Amino acid sequence: QVQLVESGGGLVQAGGSLRLSCAASGRTFSSYAISWFRQGPGQEREFVAGISWGGDMAYYSDSVKGRFTISRDNAKNMVYLQMSSLKPEDTAVYYCAATYVFGDDSTRTYDHWGQGTQVTVSS
């Protein structure tokens, strides 16, 4: 079992940067692949980025590739999402989620979710 808590959201101008953090509890954190999802107003939750159990593999949605970087520190039970060159369309609630399977961007695959952190990008 793992519990997830996101932090680091806020208001930023277009072109700016933010780093989101996802803190995990539980001794089996390194057994989970972790992903970030986001949900904008009136939109479905969508995949943003995912990272493998040891952090050696990562993949991104086309909309954030080259601008966002996912990383993890298993010693600290932390996952990060560094967001750069932010755009107004990046405005959403961002969630981290955990599953045993790496490489699946379907929300149905993920068993554990955080409560989300709001990111707002002004133009």
Side-chain angles (χ1 to χ4, degrees), residues 5-67:
V5 178
E6 304 92 337
S7 62
L11 174 64
V12 63
Q13 288 188 333
S17 299
L18 276 178
R19 188 177 83 154
L20 305 184
S21 298
C22 174
S25 63
R27 282 182 267 180
T28 59
F29 175 67
S30 61
S31 300
Y32 291 92
I34 305 292
S35 289
W36 287 93
F37 289 79
R38 66 186 182 186
Q39 188 166 15
Q43 297 179 357
E44 293 188 354
R45 196 168 296 189
E46 64 173 2
F47 171 81
V48 174
I51 192 164
S52 61
W53 315 269
D56 57 329
M57 295 181 288
Y59 67 117
Y60 301 88
S61 68
D62 288 342
S63 61
V64 307
K65 198 173 297 182
R67 300 188 298 121

Side-chain angles (χ1 to χ4, degrees), residues 76-104:
K76 296 182 179 179
N77 279 17
M78 296 291 295
V79 175
Y80 306 98
L81 185 68
Q82 178 67 48
M83 305 186 295
S84 303
S85 301
L86 283 161
K87 305 174 182 179
E89 51 263 45
D90 294 318
T91 295
V93 178
Y94 283 71
Y95 300 89
C96 62
T99 183
Y100 290 120
V101 178
F102 172 68
D104 193 325

